[in-house]
Amino acid sequence: MTYSEFCDQIAPSVLEMSLEEFKEFREDVMHEAGKQNYSKKFMSAVLDMIYGHLFFKDTAQGVA
């Protein structure tokens, strides 16, 4: 998947997901990454960043 495909196909749907839906999505992506020999460490880092930005951006501002 190219970066532009990711931006066009995946990013908009991720923005509409609930926390529970995102957890299921992450599990599916990590499973596929393992089957296709993609770097699970890289995919985990990307999904962690998305998770943090989507679901904890408001709480992170009050912590500093």
Side-chain angles (χ1 to χ4, degrees), residues 5-63:
E5 288 173 328
F6 177 83
C7 291
D8 292 341
Q9 297 173 19
I10 304 299
S13 61
V14 169
L15 290 174
E16 296 177 6
M17 290 182 187
S18 69
L19 179 57
E20 203 54 44
E21 290 170 325
F22 182 79
K23 287 179 180 180
E24 290 177 27
F25 171 76
R26 178 191 174 99
E27 188 176 309
D28 291 344
V29 168
M30 293 306 291
H31 180 72
E32 286 299 316
K35 287 186 351 186
Q36 297 181 19
N37 294 324
Y38 293 136
S39 173
K40 289 180 89 173
K41 189 174 182 179
F42 172 76
M43 292 303 295
S44 182
V46 168
L47 292 169
D48 286 347
M49 284 192 316
I50 293 170
Y51 178 80
H53 281 79
L54 285 180
F55 298 105
F56 292 102
K57 64 182 178 183
D58 293 333
T59 58
Q61 292 174 353
V63 172

